[in-house]
Amino acid sequence: ERLLVRTGPLAGKHVIVTSGPTHEPIDPVRYIANRSSGKQGHAIAKAAAEAGARVTLISGPVMLPDPSGVTTVHVESAREMLQAVEKALPADIGIFAAAVADWRVANAGEQKIKKKDGALPNLSLTENPDILATISHRTENRPPLMVGFAAETEHVIEHARQKLARKGCDLIVANDVSSAGGVMGGDSNTVHLVTASGVETWPTLAKSDVAARLVERLGTLMGDAKP
Ligand code: CTP
Ligand code: CA
């Protein structure tokens, strides 16, 4: 039996991180997805583990290896991601970096949908559960520190402020994902930390450095929360 002794600013803390896109099936061979690579979320999971936390990473389908020193749970859809988060609770910190698909196909086919003389399939969409809002708004089993992300293509700060309020989390990491920035799939990120007390804009950093700085900040916030 191996005993892992963890030291660091997050030692003794359990951190849940969601990362990557979700895939929402249309039929057994097709799905709806988005351009998230999972790089930022996975980097955060790794940084939290390096800061001494026990980390559960709940990952949608990504092309990345499982970070070492982290328990990784693989899921496909938003509903599976929510279930995996529920199962991983309780936690001290929740960092919800996944780009969860907002909609899924309500009438997904059990068999592959076939072309039929040019007739188009009638796909109807339904909204997925909002994982961050669901967990943040509850009173029982809510991680004391809840962090969300906001992927925006315009009015970044304004939208992030609205998300902070609507989702009921403690901190929003907002980033501009308009194609010019190359954030999606890229290795660097320019983020704004939005809390009830204000906005802090960080310089453009490698995603690994954004992760390290964020984890350091969360360590401070956890410390401040102590009586
Ligand atoms: N999120 C989530 N579950 C969803 C949708 C979003 O947990 N079904 C989380 C994301 O992981 C992120 C935050 O909510 O931390 C914001 O996601 P975003 O897509 O920017 O916000 P939405 O509320 O979906 O708004 P919109 O896509 O319309 O901008
Ligand atoms: Ca969304």
Side-chain angles (χ1 to χ4, degrees):
E1 180 147 311
R2 232 168 106 243
L3 182 68
L4 194 57
V5 179
R6 294 177 188 270
T7 55
L10 292 184
K13 306 293 181 198
H14 180 212
V15 178
I16 297 176
V17 180
T18 71
S19 182
T22 64
H23 285 183
E24 308 298 330
I26 295 171
D27 66 21
V29 300
R30 306 182 177 98
Y31 58 83
I32 296 176
N34 61 65
R35 296 186 188 280
S36 169
S37 66
K39 284 179 183 173
Q40 187 63 80
H42 276 54
I44 291 166
K46 184 166 173 271
E50 282 164 1
R54 179 167 74 82
V55 180
T56 308
L57 171 63
I58 298 163
S59 174
V62 295
M63 302 292 283
L64 302 170
D66 293 353
S68 61
V70 166
T71 302
T72 305
V73 179
H74 295 272
V75 298
E76 295 255 338
S77 67
R79 286 185 298 172
E80 286 168 13
M81 188 172 274
L82 175 58
Q83 267 184 14
V85 169
E86 299 273 17
K87 207 177 153 198
L89 288 168
D92 301 284
I93 306 177
I95 307 172
F96 289 15
V100 182
D102 292 321
W103 307 283
R104 69 176 181 276
V105 177
N107 57 339
E110 277 178 33
Q111 305 297 332
K112 183 182 172 191
I113 303 168
K114 302 298 288 178
K115 284 182 290 185
K116 255 190 243 126
D117 310 319
L120 301 176
N122 267 316
L123 299 180
S124 50
L125 297 179
T126 186
E127 198 166 304
N128 268 329
D130 189 317
I131 303 168
L132 174 62
T134 302
I135 306 297
S136 290
H137 281 303
R138 65 170 54 143
T139 43
E140 230 169 274
N141 228 6
R142 179 198 191 272
L145 194 50
M146 286 292 298
V147 180
F149 274 67
E152 307 293 348
T153 58
E154 59 177 359
H155 312 301
V156 177
I157 304 289
E158 188 189 324
H159 285 154
R161 279 213 179 92
Q162 289 164 1
K163 273 177 191 165
L164 182 76
R166 194 170 75 234
K167 309 251 178 184
C169 57
D170 305 295
L171 171 68
I172 288 271
V173 181
N175 56 8
D176 187 340
V177 294
S178 57
S179 51
V183 173
M184 291 212 122
D187 290 315
S188 63
N189 204 356
T190 316
V191 306
H192 313 270
L193 260 59
V194 181
T195 62
S197 50
V199 181
E200 187 180 316
T201 298
W202 288 357
T204 301
L205 297 165
K207 286 182 177 175
S208 55
D209 291 331
V210 170
R213 268 175 88 145
L214 179 65
V215 162
E216 193 188 311
R217 177 61 58 90
L218 297 177
T220 311
L221 290 172
M222 287 298 292
D224 291 351
K226 273 188 204 134

